[in-house]
Amino acid sequence: MHRALLVLSLALVACDSGNGDRTELERLFDCDTAREITFPSTTSGALSTSDCDYTDDDGTYADYYAFELDAATNVDVFQTSDTIDSFLSLYNASGAELAFDDDSGSDFFGPHDARISRSLAAGVYVIAANSYGVETGPYTLELTTTP
């Protein structure tokens, strides 16, 4: 019962809504686009100097992924990498950070992998795949549901 969110059609992460007033999400994710992600999925990505800035203005880079839930769902998000120290953040459609994680994925994968496990209501959510320090390199993002 999950469907992909076409982020661009909803203008969730556009740099400017066109009317001069930026929405909270536009301010939060000062970035042109987020990739859609579906359940279950495994996505390969890479942080690079041409990526969006992370929301904390800490000099790190982030890739943003958006998804929509039709009903309350237990969600697991894993970010793994042999190159970077993975760091994940999860936001709701209002731009509020719901969860973040640095290394708790190490129980399942490597010592610097991130995991967010959370029960979420129906709605739109955004994941920021980031690194703990200013790093670039490949990562894998896995999105699953749990009972």
Side-chain angles (χ1 to χ4, degrees), residues 3-131:
R3 60 191 154 119
L5 171 66
L6 298 176
V7 179
L8 295 177
S9 67
L10 295 177
L12 287 176
V13 292
C15 284
D16 191 342
S17 59
N19 64 5
D21 295 325
R22 291 167 54 124
T23 68
E24 184 61 31
L25 276 177
E26 288 169 342
R27 282 190 292 278
L28 177 65
F29 304 112
D30 192 12
C31 187
D32 289 331
T33 186
R35 298 175 200 149
E36 68 179 88
I37 192 167
T38 59
F39 290 90
S41 66
T42 301
T43 302
S44 295
L47 295 178
S48 71
T49 58
S50 64
D51 281 339
C52 299
D53 294 331
Y54 183 60
T55 60
D56 285 345
D57 294 325
D58 61 0
T60 64
Y61 310 103
D63 290 330
Y64 293 97
Y65 297 87
F67 64 95
E68 184 175 13
L69 300 174
D70 291 332
T73 306
N74 295 320
V75 174
D76 270 333
V77 183
F78 294 95
Q79 182 186 359
T80 61
S81 178
D82 293 330
T83 306
I84 64 170
D85 185 354
S86 298
F87 190 91
L88 279 172
S89 295
L90 175 68
Y91 301 91
N92 66 16
S94 299
E97 186 175 56
L98 303 176
F100 64 89
D101 185 72
D102 180 21
D103 290 334
S104 70
S106 61
D107 293 342
F108 301 90
F109 300 105
H112 298 292
D113 295 330
R115 176 185 186 215
I116 293 175
S117 183
R118 182 126 178 165
S119 180
L120 299 173
V124 174
Y125 297 91
V126 177
I127 299 166
N130 183 239
S131 61

